C-alpha cells in the first residue's frame, strides 16, 4: 500500500486559529443523516441559499466552540466525486478550490462498504479528513457491528462513532476535528489502491502530465480522473496542454476506455480489505423490519393503494385542518388589514391606500394565507421523507411515469403540486439531470393546486347543480390527462425521447427526527415567504396598477381594456370580456377569479347577487368552457416567479406559458365550437 | 451441475442471489452504478421483480431501485446453492 503523498500543509499552531476563519466541509453520501449533523452543529446559525449561479442548495453555518467560530459548509450529498452530476462537481470543486481545513465525511454505518467509496475518492484530494460513523444504532439493529478503533487503524483516519438522531457523538466529532486542525503531524491516511494494471496506466499518465497540471489540481488525482474518463478533467487538460503533449495521453486513454469499471472494482477490493477486521456482518437470511414493511410499500398494487391512501389522508388533514385557518386569514386578517389601511390612510391620496389595500394586501397577502396549508402539507411530506417512505412512493410510481419520459422521482414534486405549484417547482431539484428537471417543471403547473380546486368547489355547484362533484372530477382528470400528453409531447419535441435512468437508493425505515423535520419545514416556509416578499409582491403591484389606471373603476382600467380587446378570442370560447378579465386577474393568484367575477357581475341595482347574475347571464356551455380554460390556464405569477428562479431561463417560461395558453384556449374553443356544431346538426336534423 | 450463463438482471428471479457479471452502458451509467456499489463480481440479491416496472435489489447491504431499462444493461450470473 502506498503512503500518503498528498498532504503537504504544515501543521498549524493553535494561536493561528484565532486569526483566520476555519472552514470545515461536511461531505457524505445521501441518506447518512448529514443534514441532522449539520443542524446539530449550527442550530439556527445557518444560512441556506444557492451555490452561485446554480440551483443546488448551499448551506453554511457557524459552529461556536471555545470562542472559536468554525464555518461549516454542507456539501451536496453525493455517491462519488465523478463529474456525473452538478452536485458532484460542486462538492469536489469546493474541496479542490476552497481547500477547507478539514473535511468531515458522515458515514451511514449500516451501509459502510458503499459509504467508504466516497472516502476513497476524497482521500486523493489531499485534504485532512475525519470520519463521522453515524447511525451505529441503525446498523446494530441490522446485526452489523463495527469496531471503530480497528477501522481507524486500518484507514489511518480518525473515526468517531455517532448517533446524530439522538444527539450523540457530535461533540466528540468536533473535538477530533479540532485535534486535526491543531496538529497534522499524526495524520497519515492509508491511501486507497487500485488494481496493478490500472495503477501502471495511472503512473504512465502521471509521468506525461508532471509539471503540466494547472493549479490547484493534484497530479495523482488528475491522472486517475483522466483514466476514469472524467469529462471535466479531460476537457481541462486538453485545453491546458499543447497538442503534442496531449496526443500520447489521448492514445493511452483510447486504449483504456473501459477502465472506470476496473478502477471502481479495485476501490471496492481495497475497501473490503480495510473493513474485514472491523466489521461483523449479520448472518444471512435475516428479515428486517424494512423488508417486512416493503412487502406492502413497494408492491405494485398494494403499494399504489398505500400511496393513494397516504395522500388521501394528507389532503384530508390539510383541508380539514389548515383550510379553515386559511379562510379565516383571508376573511378576517386580509380583509380587515385592507380595511384598516383604507381608514388609516383616509387623508392620503387614494392611489396609496388602493395600492396597499388592493394591490399588496390582496395580492401578495392572499398568497401568504396559503402558508397554513403549506405548513401542514410540508410537515406531512417532510415526515414521510424522514422515515424513508418517499423513495418508496417514487418506486411505486416509476412504471406510470416512464411514458412521459419521466421516472419515479418526478412524481414527488408533482404530488406536492396539489397543495401549491410553487413548492412543487422548487421540489423538482431532487431530480438529477437537467432534462428531467425541466420536463417536470414544464408539466408541474398542470397539477391542479388548492386554489384551483377551490374555484371548482365554488363554481361547479352554481352552473351544474345536478352533479357538481362529477364535473369537478372530470375537470381534474382532464388536467392530469393533459399533463401526461404534454409530458409525452414535450419529451419527444425538446428532449428527443432520451431515456432517463432511474437509479435510486431506498434507505432503511427509521424513526422520524423532530428536529430535522422542523428545520426542513422552517426552511421551506422561509423560501416561500422570501418569494412572497419579493417577486410576488412586485407582480401584485404591477397587476394592481393595470387594474386601476386610469380609473375610476376596474371596468375602465387597462386590464378591462385588455379584456375588451380579447373579446373576439373570448367569443370563440363563449366567454365575454368579464370572464376574460377574470382569467387575466387569475394570473396574480388563481383564487382572484372568484373575486373578479364577483365584482364584474355585480349589477349595482341590488336586485340580484353576483352569483345569481352570473347564473342568469352565463350559459352552461360557456361556464364549462370557462372552467376548463381556468383549470388549464397559465401558471400564477408566484409560480412563474419560482419557475424563473429555478430555470434561470425566460425561454422555458415562454415555452410553458405559450403551451398552456394554446392548450387552455384550444380546449375552450373546441368545447364551445363543438357544442355549437352539435346544436347546428341537431337543429338541421330535426327541422 | 447445470451450465451457468450470464443473463440480464431484468430477467432475474425474485428472491435469487446473483453475481454482477457486466455493466453494459455508457460511461455515465457505469460511473453512477459503480458509485452505488454495482461492480463486476459484487453480489446482488433481487428483492422484487414482477416482470414489469422497476426492480428492487440489494447490493453491498443497500436497497437500490433500478428502472427496467437500467436492469437490461446489467448482466448477472446466478449463484448456485451448492457453491
Amino acid at each position: 500500500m502506498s503512503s500518503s503523498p498528498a498532504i503537504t500543509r504544515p501543521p498549524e499552531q493553535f494561536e493561528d486559529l484565532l486569526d483566520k476563519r476555519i472552514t470545515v466541509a461536511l461531505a457524505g453520501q445521501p441518506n447518512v443523516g448529514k443534514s441532522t449533523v449539520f443542524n446539530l452543529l449550527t442550530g439556527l446559525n445557518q444560512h441556506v441559499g444557492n451555490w452561485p449561479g446554480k440551483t443546488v442548495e448551499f448551506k453554511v453555518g457557524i459552529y461556536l466552540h471555545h470562542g472559536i467560530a468554525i464555518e461549516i459548509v454542507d456539501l451536496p450529498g453525493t455517491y462519488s466525486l465523478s463529474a456525473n452530476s452538478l452536485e458532484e462537481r460542486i462538492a469536489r470543486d469546493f474541496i479542490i478550490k476552497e481547500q477547507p481545513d478539514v473535511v468531515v465525511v458522515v458515514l451511514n454505518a449500516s451501509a459502510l462498504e458503499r459509504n467508504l467509496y466516497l472516502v476513497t475518492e476524497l482521500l486523493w484530494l489531499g485534504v485532512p479528513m475525519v470520519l463521522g460513523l453515524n447511525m451505529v444504532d441503525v446498523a446494530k439493529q441490522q446485526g452489523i457491528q463495527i469496531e471503530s478503533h480497528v477501522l481507524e487503524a486500518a484507514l489511518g483516519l480518525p473515526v468517531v462513532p455517532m448517533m446524530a438522531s439522538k444527539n450523540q457523538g457530535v461533540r466528540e466529532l468536533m473535538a477530533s476535528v479540532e485535534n486535526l486542525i491543531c496538529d497534522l503531524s499524526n495524520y497519515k491516511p492509508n491511501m486507497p489502491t487500485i488494481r496493478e494494471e490500472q495503477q501502471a496506466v495511472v503512473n504512465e499518465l502521471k509521468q506525461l502530465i508532471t509539471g503540466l497540471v494547472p493549479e490547484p489540481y493534484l497530479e495523482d488525482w488528475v491522472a486517475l480522473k483522466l483514466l476514469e474518463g472524467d469529462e471535466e478533467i479531460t476537457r481541462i487538460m486538453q485545453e491546458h496542454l499543447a497538442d503534442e503533449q496531449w496526443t500520447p495521453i489521448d492514445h493511452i486513454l483510447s486504449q483504456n476506455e473501459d477502465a472506470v469499471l476496473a478502477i471502481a472494482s479495485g476501490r471496492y477490493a481495497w475497501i473490503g480489505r480495510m473493513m474485514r477486521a472491523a466489521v461483523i456482518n449479520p448472518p444471512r437470511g435475516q428479515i428486517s423490519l424494512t423488508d417486512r414493511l416493503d412487502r406492502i410499500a413497494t408492491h405494485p398494487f398494494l403499494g399504489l393503494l398505500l400511496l393513494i391512501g397516504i395522500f388521501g389522508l394528507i389532503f384530508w388533514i390539510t383541508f380539514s385542518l389548515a383550510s379553515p385557518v386559511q379562510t379565516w386569514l383571508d376573511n378576517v386578517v386580509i380583509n380587515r388589514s385592507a380595511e384598516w389601511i383604507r381608514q388609516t390612510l383616509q387623508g392620503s391620496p387614494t392611489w396609496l391606500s388602493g395600492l396597499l389595500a388592493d394591490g399588496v394586501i390582496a395580492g401578495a397577502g392572499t398568497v401568504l394565507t396559503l402558508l397554513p396549508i403549506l405548513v401542514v402539507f410540508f410537515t406531512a411530506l417532510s415526515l414521510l421523507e424522514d422515515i424513508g417512505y418517499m423513495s418508496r412512493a417514487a418506486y411505486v410510481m416509476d412504471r406510470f411515469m416512464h411514458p412521459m419520459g419521466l421516472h419515479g422521482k418526478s412524481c414527488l414534486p408533482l404530488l406536492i403540486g396539489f397543495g401549491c405549484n410553487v413548492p412543487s417547482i422548487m421540489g423538482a431539484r431532487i431530480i438529477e439531470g437537467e432534462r428531467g428537471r425541466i420536463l417536470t417543471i414544464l408539466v408541474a403547473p398542470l397539477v391542479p393546486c388548492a386554489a384551483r380546486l377551490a374555484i371548482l368547489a365554488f363554481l361547479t355547484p352554481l352552473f351544474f347543480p345536478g352533479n357538481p362533484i362529477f364535473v369537478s372530477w372530470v375537470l381534474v382528470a382532464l388536467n392530469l390527462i393533459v399533463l401526461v400528453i404534454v409530458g409525452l409531447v414535450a419529451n419527444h419535441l425538446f428532449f428527443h425521447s432520451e431515456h432517463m435512468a432511474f437509479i435510486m437508493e431506498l434507505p432503511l425505515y427509521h424513526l422520524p427526527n423532530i428536529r430535522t423535520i422542523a428545520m426542513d419545514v422552517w426552511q421551506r416556509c422561509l423560501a416561500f415567504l422570501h418569494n412572497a416578499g419579493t417577486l410576488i409582491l412586485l407582480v401584485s403591484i404591477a397587476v394592481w396598477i393595470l387594474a386601476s389606471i386610469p380609473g375610476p373603476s376596474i371596468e375602465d382600467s387597462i386590464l378591462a381594456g385588455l379584456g375588451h380587446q380579447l373579446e373576439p378570442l373570448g367569443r370563440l370560447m363563449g366567454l365575454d370580456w368579464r370572464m376574460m378579465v377574470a382569467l387575466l386577474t387569475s394570473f396574480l393568484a388563481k383564487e382572484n377569479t372568484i373575486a373578479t367575477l364577483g365584482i364584474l357581475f355585480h349589477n349595482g341595482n341590488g336586485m340580484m347577487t353576483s352569483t345569481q347574475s352570473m347564473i342568469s347571464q352565463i350559459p352552461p356551455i360557456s361556464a364549462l368552457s370557462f372552467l376548463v380554460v381556468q383549470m388549464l390556464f397559465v401558471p400564477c405569477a408566484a409560480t412563474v416567479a419560482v419557475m424563473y428562479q429555478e430555470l434561470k431561463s425566460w425561454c422555458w417560461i415562454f415555452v410553458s406559458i405559450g403551451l398552456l395558453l394554446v392548450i387552455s384556449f384550444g380546449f375552450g374553443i373546441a368545447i364551445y365550437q363543438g357544442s355549437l356544431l352539435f346544436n347546428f346538426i341537431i337543429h338541421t336534423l330535426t327541422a | 451441475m447445470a451450465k451457468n450463463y450470464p443473463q440480464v438482471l431484468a430477467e432475474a428471479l425474485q428472491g435469487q442471489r446473483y453475481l454482477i457479471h457486466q455493466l453494459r452502458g455508457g460511461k455515465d451509467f457505469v460511473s453512477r452504478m459503480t458509485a452505488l456499489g454495482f461492480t463486476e463480481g459484487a453480489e446482488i440479491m433481487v428483492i422484487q421483480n414482477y416482470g414489469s416496472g422497476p426492480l428492487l435489489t440489494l447490493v453491498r447491504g443497500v436497497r437500490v431501485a433500478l428502472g427496467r431499462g437500467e436492469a437490461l444493461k446489467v448482466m448477472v450470473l446466478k449463484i448456485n446453492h451448492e457453491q
Side-chain angles (χ1 to χ4, degrees):
Chain A
M1 264 163 243
S2 60
S3 65
S4 151
I7 306 295
T8 50
R9 217 177 310 183
E12 292 177 55
Q13 293 306 306
F14 191 75
E15 301 88 78
D16 297 339
L17 301 184
L18 299 168
D19 299 329
K20 69 176 196 76
R21 173 65 63 87
I22 295 166
T23 305
V24 171
L26 272 187
Q29 293 191 341
N31 306 310
V32 297
K34 190 159 66 72
S35 46
T36 309
V37 175
F38 180 74
N39 288 337
L40 279 174
L41 289 175
T42 60
L44 289 172
N45 269 331
Q46 55 173 272
H47 169 77
V48 182
N50 281 344
W51 290 86
K54 308 276 165 56
T55 49
V56 175
E57 202 167 70
F58 169 81
K59 290 207 240 170
V60 61
I62 300 291
Y63 171 74
L64 281 169
H65 192 55
H66 297 321
I68 302 169
I70 298 180
E71 188 177 47
I72 312 274
V73 176
D74 193 18
L75 298 176
T78 58
Y79 289 109
S80 72
L81 291 181
S82 57
N84 280 338
S85 68
L86 197 55
E87 284 81 0
E88 287 172 317
R89 282 199 294 275
I90 286 173
R92 73 180 197 190
D93 275 357
F94 182 84
I95 295 171
I96 293 169
K97 292 177 181 160
E98 303 299 322
Q99 290 280 319
D101 297 86
V102 172
V103 174
V104 169
V105 192
V106 183
L107 304 171
N108 175 348
S110 73
L112 186 61
E113 186 181 14
R114 226 253 341 261
N115 272 240
L116 284 173
Y117 190 80
L118 181 65
V119 174
T120 64
E121 290 233 63
L122 283 165
L123 275 168
W124 285 104
L125 295 181
V127 278
M129 276 162 50
V130 172
L131 306 185
L133 187 64
N134 195 19
M135 301 167 84
V136 284
D137 46 344
V138 180
K140 202 171 271 177
Q141 280 164 18
Q142 301 287 308
I144 303 166
Q145 291 207 22
I146 302 169
E147 305 284 342
S148 58
H149 58 279
V150 180
L151 191 65
E152 184 168 293
L155 294 167
L157 293 170
V159 177
V160 182
M162 294 164 63
M163 283 180 262
S165 61
K166 291 172 187 153
N167 199 359
Q168 284 176 31
V170 178
R171 198 182 294 262
E172 291 79 353
L173 179 76
M174 288 315 283
S176 185
V177 168
E178 277 172 41
N179 283 341
L180 198 58
I181 291 172
C182 295
D183 182 13
L184 271 175
S185 58
N186 290 324
Y187 180 74
K188 295 205 172 56
N190 191 352
M191 292 307 281
T193 57
I194 52 177
R195 287 184 193 148
E196 274 169 28
E197 303 97 283
Q198 283 83 43
Q199 188 58 51
V201 185
V202 170
N203 294 343
E204 218 176 315
L205 286 168
K206 198 188 158 188
Q207 279 184 343
L208 288 170
I209 60 170
T210 301
L212 299 172
V213 173
E215 285 281 320
Y217 294 101
L218 299 170
E219 285 165 3
D220 289 281
W221 185 75
V222 169
L224 188 61
K225 283 288 150 187
L226 282 175
L227 186 57
E228 279 186 79
D230 187 288
E231 275 167 28
E232 194 185 30
I233 296 303
T234 310
R235 184 177 46 76
I236 289 174
M237 288 307 288
Q238 200 171 355
E239 282 167 9
H240 192 72
L241 297 182
D243 279 348
E244 66 272 19
Q245 289 168 325
W246 176 253
T247 313
I249 296 172
D250 197 37
H251 181 69
I252 295 176
L253 295 183
S254 61
Q255 285 175 331
N256 293 281
E257 269 183 336
D258 48 359
V260 57
L261 192 51
I263 290 173
S265 303
R267 286 196 183 117
Y268 278 111
W270 181 82
I271 291 167
R273 289 197 297 276
M274 293 304 109
M275 283 179 52
R276 196 170 299 146
V279 181
I280 303 156
N281 274 314
R284 256 209 198 94
Q286 257 194 351
I287 294 164
S288 67
L289 175 69
T290 293
D291 290 320
R292 254 174 270 148
L293 289 174
D294 270 350
R295 275 182 199 159
I296 295 168
T298 62
H299 189 275
F301 179 66
L302 296 177
L304 193 62
L305 283 186
L306 183 70
L307 178 69
I308 293 169
I310 287 176
F311 272 84
L313 188 69
I314 292 177
F315 284 134
W316 182 75
I317 293 174
T318 306
F319 284 96
S320 57
L321 218 76
S323 270
V325 184
Q326 193 261 333
T327 318
W328 179 80
L329 280 176
D330 202 18
N331 289 339
V332 179
V333 178
I334 294 297
N335 286 349
R336 281 212 189 138
S337 47
E339 201 52 47
W340 179 80
I341 284 174
R342 280 197 201 95
Q343 285 186 353
T344 326
L345 295 178
Q346 246 167 6
S348 54
T350 45
W351 67 264
L352 183 65
S353 64
L355 171 67
L356 290 178
D358 302 326
V360 174
I361 300 279
T366 307
V367 176
L368 281 187
T369 61
L370 285 176
L371 199 60
I373 289 186
L374 294 181
V375 168
V376 175
F377 214 73
F378 287 157
T379 308
L381 292 182
S382 185
L383 176 75
L384 290 178
E385 173 76 52
D386 197 48
I387 62 171
Y389 175 72
M390 283 312 258
S391 57
R392 271 77 185 179
Y395 177 79
V396 168
M397 286 303 289
D398 182 64
R399 62 180 72 223
F400 305 105
M401 308 296 287
H402 272 285
M404 284 188 273
L406 296 174
H407 58 59
K409 273 190 194 175
S410 290
C411 93
L412 303 180
L414 293 182
L415 285 171
I416 300 175
F418 281 101
C420 176
N421 287 173
V422 169
S424 137
I425 281 162
M426 291 196 278
R429 288 180 174 195
I430 58 160
I431 298 152
E432 63 277 287
E434 273 302 280
R435 280 174 293 129
R437 206 171 61 88
I438 294 172
L439 197 51
T440 308
I441 291 177
L442 277 186
V443 299
L446 283 164
V447 176
C449 61
R452 268 175 284 175
L453 296 176
I455 296 173
L456 277 190
F458 182 78
L459 291 181
T460 49
L462 289 186
F463 295 108
F464 309 99
N467 30 21
I469 294 176
F470 174 73
V471 175
S472 300
W473 270 113
V474 170
L475 288 170
V476 170
L478 178 69
N479 262 52
L480 297 181
I481 291 168
V482 172
L483 186 152
V484 173
I485 295 170
V486 168
L488 272 170
V489 173
N491 179 37
H492 190 74
L493 222 62
F494 303 128
F495 304 113
H496 313 292
S497 309
E498 267 183 79
H499 177 77
M500 285 173 219
F502 177 59
I503 308 169
M504 186 181 64
E505 179 181 354
L506 303 192
L508 295 170
Y509 290 104
H510 55 87
L511 288 175
N513 182 270
I514 305 299
R515 203 184 165 115
T516 307
I517 294 172
M519 283 302 287
D520 187 48
V521 173
W522 169 245
Q523 298 290 1
R524 281 179 191 240
C525 289
L526 268 189
F528 181 78
L529 288 176
H530 178 80
N531 283 323
T534 52
L535 268 167
I536 299 175
L537 184 67
L538 286 177
V539 177
S540 300
I541 292 170
V543 175
W544 175 81
I545 291 172
L546 287 180
S548 39
I549 50 173
S553 65
I554 190 168
E555 282 94 335
D556 312 306
S557 67
I558 295 181
L559 201 64
L562 215 60
H564 280 293
Q565 296 234 313
L566 289 172
E567 212 167 2
L569 177 65
R571 223 172 283 135
L572 287 175
M573 299 180 277
L575 311 183
D576 68 8
W577 72 272
R578 291 171 293 192
M579 292 156 98
M580 291 306 278
V581 171
L583 278 178
L584 289 180
T585 54
S586 80
F587 177 68
L588 177 52
K590 294 285 173 190
E591 57 271 38
N592 280 359
T593 290
I594 297 168
T596 309
L597 286 178
I599 295 166
L600 295 180
F601 276 89
H602 193 70
N603 58 355
N605 60 16
M607 293 293 283
M608 273 176 162
T609 63
S610 303
T611 49
Q612 282 169 328
S613 126
M614 268 194 262
I615 297 169
S616 67
Q617 292 183 41
I618 303 173
I621 189 67
S622 292
L624 182 67
S625 162
F626 177 74
L627 281 174
V628 168
V629 176
Q630 176 70 75
M631 289 292 283
L632 297 169
F633 201 54
V634 297
C636 68
T639 307
V640 172
V642 173
M643 282 171 88
Y644 178 70
Q645 174 195 302
E646 295 298 299
L647 293 171
K648 294 271 180 278
S649 139
W650 286 111
C651 175
W652 281 120
I653 289 170
F654 288 134
V655 166
S656 164
I657 290 179
L659 206 65
L660 291 173
L661 273 181
V662 169
I663 291 169
S664 58
F665 288 160
F667 267 93
I669 292 169
I671 287 171
Y672 190 68
Q673 298 298 325
S675 87
L676 287 186
L677 185 69
F678 183 74
N679 278 348
F680 175 76
I681 292 170
I682 297 284
H683 266 279
T684 358
L685 289 179
T686 50
Chain B
M1 200 173 80
K3 274 253 174 83
N4 198 354
Y5 294 109
Q7 61 180 121
V8 291
L9 178 62
E11 285 161 15
L13 299 175
Q14 191 162 305
Q16 258 291 339
R17 288 189 293 120
Y18 297 84
L19 292 178
I20 294 170
H21 178 69
Q22 198 187 2
L23 296 176
R24 302 191 301 189
K27 213 178 280 171
D28 263 19
F29 172 74
V30 171
S31 177
R32 277 186 71 186
M33 293 291 278
T34 52
L36 274 153
F38 288 74
T39 54
E40 284 164 13
E43 191 180 317
I44 179 168
M45 160 107 128
V46 181
I47 300 177
Q48 200 183 80
N49 182 7
Y50 284 99
S52 72
L55 284 82
L56 188 52
T57 64
L58 185 72
V59 177
R60 299 186 194 272
V62 183
R63 282 156 189 79
V64 180
L66 288 181
R68 190 142 293 267
E70 284 63 63
L72 284 167
K73 297 182 197 162
V74 181
M75 300 299 292
V76 293
L77 278 171
K78 196 168 168 181
I79 298 176
N80 288 319
H81 285 293
E82 307 90 76
Q83 285 176 351

